[in-house]
């Protein structure tokens, strides 16, 4: 059934147990999420989904990459009992009769550990394929765990020769070229491809190029859901040999996609209705909803607590939390101090009422006064400065964490990527929390998403004046963010080039930004690394998020001044 360069193919008759018409193959693409580490639960889920696909007439059911253990499994791959658990799980899945199962799993033998695809049928594992191109950039760290595969694998079914690839393999020419040369009629690619802005367009362009170049249909199955700070957006695809899309899965949703392949014409049928095309704002917002929902639910928290300030960041965070978890699991706390504007109190209360969430006002005057009294003997000879401002933020952080401890709700912090980048946040203050929804969202995109969410309903969920007001931390009289930072359009322009595109001082200045502003912003980014390392995780949205994507030493002698010459 399976074959490599050194194995002769078996005949179709040895592997044909389907009742579907001769010359037709019915594929079932399973676009769903599997919980990392829950091998027993994942097996149970795959078993049920396989039987469902079989009952719908499928000949071959395909699951995403590493579906058996979930993705990314990280150092669970190093656990000494993993090999035994995988073997037991694969034996159970192989028991399903009357359908071929292709799934991703970690293959462990005396040669090492591999990121693999298994072919199961009729009570046993008929073959396997090991991923050849190991992803080792951005959020990927596969060379830490996996050995490189070297053989090309095809299997014959009902007159079609089907090649197997995994994730990164399809982004390179050599694997699909080898399959074509070996006589493949189509290629199945199993994936755990994370979301970032514009990723689906890039996938379509890639598959169109590869299918046209090699004149092969491609079946591309992707997972969906989130794990920690990574979101998988689905969007599974079947592409004809001419590069046209025959089937496309919905984004961010579980889905069973049924598709029929004609062996004679080597073409797939086409879906009757394509999924909704998402705008950039829509896909960003949905990714944030999925990321928060799955993290909170799998962490076992009853709900979430948000410090609602009357500003745009906490307002957008509240909307996302309600959309992810429902209003009955979201708790908003307004913590005013003497610098909190009346308009902030009014807008926070109005939004909480509009979204029907629990809303509490907890003033921090006594808490701040207590801290100042305790510190008075130590600070008596010092002039007031940012220290006193930060006491307010830290008092609020303490209150939120106390409520979390008492009632079992996760604290959601509300800092955005622009603030995190330059350190415009208080460590152990407004940075406290278990998850930061906006961690990878620049401030200019916060405004875009707020306006997007308001457009979805006749009655806006974020008061318009929250969007229109100059942003402020309200830690001193008449304070605005632009007292300390450049205008956000300018700041985000510099940050995108420095962080997302890895460009240096000279290139950013050459793009038209003021040299002194660039020097200041880049210095702020570099000095704030120690804060970011202690911050809560948050959903990855951009090409380069803080955390997995961007890793800098906390203490180092590098200087941006080296770029000045």
């Amino acid at each position: 059934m399976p074959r490599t360069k050194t194995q002769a193919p078996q005949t179709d008759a040895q592997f044909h147990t389907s009742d579907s018409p001769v010359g037709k193959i019915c594929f079932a693409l399973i676009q769903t999420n599997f919980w990392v580490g829950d091998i027993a639960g994942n097996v149970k889920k795959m078993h049920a989904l396989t039987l469902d696909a079989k009952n719908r007439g499928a000949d071959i059911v395909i699951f995403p990459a590493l579906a058996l253990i979930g993705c990314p499994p990280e150092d669970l791959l190093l656990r000494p009992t993993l090999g035994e658990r995988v073997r037991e799980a694969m034996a159970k899945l192989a028991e399903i009769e009357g359908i071929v199962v292709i799934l991703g799993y970690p293959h462990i033998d005396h040669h090492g550990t591999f990121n693999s695809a298994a072919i199961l049928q009729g009570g046993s594992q008929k073959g396997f394929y090991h991923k050849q191109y190991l992803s080792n950039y951005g959020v990927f760290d596969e060379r830490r765990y996996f050995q490189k595969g070297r053989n090309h694998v095809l299997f014959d079914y009902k007159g079609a020769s089907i090649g197997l690839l995994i994730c990164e393999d399809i982004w390179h020419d050599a694997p699909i070229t080898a399959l074509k040369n070996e006589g493949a009629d189509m290629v199945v690619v199993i994936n755990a491809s994370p979301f970032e802005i514009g990723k689906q367009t890039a996938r379509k362009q890639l598959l169109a190029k590869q299918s046209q170049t090699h004149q092969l249909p491609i079946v591309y199955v992707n997972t969906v859901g989130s794990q920690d700070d990574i979101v998988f957006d689905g969007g599974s695809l079947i592409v004809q040999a001419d590069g046209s899309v025959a089937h496309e899965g919905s984004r961010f949703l579980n889905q069973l996609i049924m598709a029929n392949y004609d062996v004679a014409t080597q073409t797939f049928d086409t879906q009757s209705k394509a999924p909704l095309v998402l705008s950039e704002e829509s896909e960003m917002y949905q990714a944030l909803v999925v990321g928060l929902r799955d993290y909170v639910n799998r962490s076992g928290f009853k709900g979430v607590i948000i410090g609602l300030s009357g500003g745009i960041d906490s307002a957008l965070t509240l909307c996302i939390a309600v959309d992810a978890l429902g209003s009955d699991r979201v708790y908003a706390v307004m913590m005013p101090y003497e610098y909190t504007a009346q308009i902030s109190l009014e807008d926070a209360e109005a939004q909480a009422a509009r979204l029907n969430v629990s809303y509490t006002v907890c003033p921090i005057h006594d808490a701040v006064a207590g801290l100042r009294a305790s510190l008075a003997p130590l600070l008596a000879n010092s002039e007031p400065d940012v220290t006193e401002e930060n006491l307010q933020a830290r008092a609020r952080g303490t209150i939120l964490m106390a409520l979390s401890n008492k009632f079992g709700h996760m604290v959601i912090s509300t800092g955005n990527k622009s603030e995190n980048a330059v350190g415009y946040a208080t460590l152990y203050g407004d940075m406290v929390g278990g998850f930061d929804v906006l961690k990878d969202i620049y401030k200019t995109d916060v405004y875009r998403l707020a306006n997007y969410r308001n457009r979805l309903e006749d009655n806006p969920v974020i008061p318009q004046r929250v969007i229109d007001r100059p942003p402020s931390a309200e830690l001193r009289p008449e304070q605005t963010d632009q007292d300390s930072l450049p205008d956000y359009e300018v700041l985000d322009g510099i940050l995108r080039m420095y962080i997302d595109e890895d460009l240096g001082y000279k290139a950013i200045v050459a793009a038209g930004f003021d040299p002194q502003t660039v020097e200041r912003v880049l210095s702020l980014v570099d000095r704030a690394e120690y804060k970011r390392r202690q911050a809560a995780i948050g959903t990855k949205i951009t090409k380069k998020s803080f955390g997995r994507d961007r890793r800098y030493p906390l203490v180092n002698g590098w200087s941006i001044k080296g770029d000045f010459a």
Side-chain angles (χ1 to χ4, degrees):
M1 187 272 301
R3 53 189 167 107
T4 68
K5 286 184 178 181
T6 59
Q7 294 177 316
Q10 298 180 2
T11 65
D12 294 342
Q14 290 176 289
F15 193 55
H16 180 193
T17 59
S18 170
D19 294 328
S20 62
V22 175
K24 303 286 185 181
I25 304 175
C26 182
F27 288 85
L29 284 59
I30 307 294
Q31 177 178 290
T32 192
N33 184 237
F34 295 95
W35 195 355
V36 167
D38 186 14
I39 294 177
N42 293 339
V43 167
K44 184 177 180 181
K45 184 174 182 177
M46 281 189 277
H47 193 281
L49 289 169
T50 298
L51 291 180
D52 181 40
K54 177 184 173 182
N55 292 335
R56 292 169 183 257
D59 300 308
I60 300 176
V61 61
I62 310 171
F63 292 97
L66 290 173
L68 189 71
I69 193 172
C71 191
E74 299 184 297
D75 280 11
L76 291 178
L77 292 165
L78 306 179
R79 300 298 299 173
T81 61
L82 178 62
E84 180 182 352
R85 295 188 189 198
V86 168
R87 286 188 290 273
E88 291 176 355
M90 296 295 278
K92 290 180 181 178
L93 287 171
E95 293 173 358
I96 304 173
E97 297 285 349
I99 190 169
V100 179
V101 180
I102 299 173
L103 77 148
Y105 75 111
H107 181 104
I108 302 170
D109 60 25
H110 63 282
H111 295 294
T113 301
F114 299 86
N115 185 345
S116 304
I119 308 165
L120 308 177
Q121 193 269 335
S124 65
Q125 182 168 330
K126 301 296 185 182
F128 53 82
Y129 166 74
H130 298 328
K131 185 177 182 180
Q132 298 180 56
Y133 282 83
L134 300 179
S135 308
N136 218 67
Y137 55 87
V139 303
F140 304 107
D141 199 14
E142 288 197 301
R143 292 178 191 169
R144 174 179 171 88
Y145 306 108
F146 296 120
Q147 305 298 313
K148 175 184 173 68
R150 304 194 181 278
N151 288 340
H152 309 295
V153 174
L154 300 95
F155 69 92
D156 297 330
Y157 186 83
K158 295 182 68 175
S161 183
I162 303 171
L164 295 180
L165 296 176
I166 301 175
C167 292
E168 186 76 12
D169 292 336
I170 194 61
W171 293 82
H172 299 266
D173 290 331
I176 191 171
T177 299
L179 292 176
K180 177 68 175 182
N181 292 339
E182 287 295 304
D185 297 313
M186 75 164 71
V187 175
V188 169
V189 189
I190 61 172
N191 303 269
S193 175
F195 168 78
E196 64 183 47
I197 299 169
K199 188 68 168 289
Q200 186 70 353
T201 298
R203 294 178 188 127
K204 287 183 179 179
Q205 292 172 346
L206 168 75
L207 295 183
K209 172 182 174 292
Q210 294 288 44
S211 60
Q212 289 173 339
T213 299
H214 302 283
Q215 286 297 291
L216 288 172
I218 299 174
V219 178
Y220 180 100
V221 183
N222 193 27
T223 192
V224 73
S226 80
Q227 174 63 35
D228 297 340
D229 53 343
I230 298 175
V231 167
F232 302 96
D233 58 318
S236 300
L237 293 157
I238 296 179
V239 178
Q240 309 278 30
D242 63 3
S244 62
V245 175
H247 291 264
E248 180 176 357
S250 298
R251 307 284 298 287
F252 304 103
L253 296 174
N254 294 327
Q255 191 173 11
L256 168 61
I257 303 167
M258 303 292 292
N260 293 298
Y261 176 76
D262 188 300
V263 176
T265 63
Q266 297 186 353
T267 60
F268 281 92
D269 61 354
T270 57
Q271 64 191 150
S272 58
K273 185 178 181 181
L276 182 68
V277 177
L278 302 182
S279 66
E280 188 172 285
E281 291 89 348
S282 179
E283 66 175 10
M284 290 167 65
Y285 192 88
Q286 289 197 42
L288 296 175
V289 168
V290 170
L292 178 62
R293 179 199 68 202
D294 287 0
Y295 188 76
V296 171
N297 288 340
R298 287 180 172 174
S299 297
F301 283 85
K302 300 175 183 177
V304 297
I305 298 176
I306 297 169
L308 194 60
S309 68
I312 191 168
D313 294 321
S314 64
L316 179 60
T317 300
L318 187 70
C319 290
I320 294 167
V322 170
D323 290 339
L325 303 169
S327 60
D328 60 326
R329 298 178 64 194
V330 179
Y331 301 84
V333 182
M334 164 51 106
M335 295 166 285
Y337 189 56
E338 59 186 82
Y339 306 125
T340 303
Q342 182 63 30
I343 189 176
S344 297
L345 285 162
E346 293 170 357
D347 289 343
E349 183 177 8
Q351 189 192 12
R354 170 67 182 84
L355 290 171
N356 195 32
V357 301
S358 171
Y359 177 71
T360 303
V361 177
C362 180
I364 63 169
H365 301 78
D366 291 345
V368 174
L371 289 171
R372 284 186 167 180
S374 297
L375 289 167
L378 304 174
L379 305 182
N381 297 322
S382 303
E383 292 295 320
D385 56 15
V386 70
T387 304
E388 285 73 20
E389 293 181 16
N390 285 343
L391 288 180
Q392 301 167 51
R394 291 185 173 123
R396 292 183 174 114
T398 298
I399 289 169
L400 291 174
M401 289 307 302
L403 293 172
S404 174
N405 291 157
K406 182 63 69 175
F407 300 110
H409 305 301
M410 180 186 290
V411 175
I412 303 301
S413 54
T414 61
N416 60 65
K417 189 172 186 176
S418 305
E419 295 170 350
N420 290 332
V422 296
Y424 190 65
T426 304
L427 198 59
Y428 320 123
D430 54 328
M431 291 178 67
V432 303
F435 199 84
D436 183 355
V437 175
L438 305 181
K439 182 172 184 175
D440 201 26
I441 303 294
Y442 288 109
K443 186 74 169 190
T444 48
D445 287 332
V446 169
Y447 285 101
R448 288 175 61 199
L449 292 178
N451 284 308
Y452 161 79
R453 184 61 183 85
N454 272 355
R455 291 195 301 269
L456 297 182
E457 300 187 41
D458 294 334
N459 182 12
V461 293
I462 299 176
Q464 187 59 42
R465 64 182 183 179
V466 171
I467 298 174
D468 295 338
R469 289 173 62 198
S472 171
E474 295 190 325
L475 298 178
R476 62 177 182 269
E478 305 300 322
Q479 181 187 29
T480 68
D481 290 4
Q482 268 57 65
D483 295 339
S484 304
L485 301 173
D487 179 82
Y488 278 117
E489 291 286 348
V490 174
L491 177 63
D492 287 356
I494 295 172
L495 293 176
R496 290 179 196 275
M497 296 184 72
Y498 188 51
I499 296 168
D500 297 352
E501 300 176 33
D502 275 330
L503 297 177
Y505 170 84
K506 289 188 290 185
I508 299 172
V509 171
F513 291 98
D514 173 68
Q516 289 185 330
T517 302
V518 173
E519 179 181 357
R520 176 168 169 253
V521 170
L522 269 55
S523 296
L524 288 172
V525 173
D526 290 353
R527 290 205 302 268
E529 187 65 35
Y530 79 99
K531 284 189 178 183
R532 291 190 294 271
R533 191 70 65 91
Q534 300 178 69
I537 69 166
T539 300
K540 170 183 166 62
I541 294 292
T542 64
K543 180 179 179 181
K544 185 157 289 189
S545 63
F546 293 128
R548 294 177 191 259
D549 286 320
R550 190 179 189 274
R551 312 174 198 177
Y552 278 76
L554 302 184
V555 179
N556 67 86
W558 182 270
S559 172
I560 60 170
K561 291 183 179 180
D563 286 337
F564 290 177

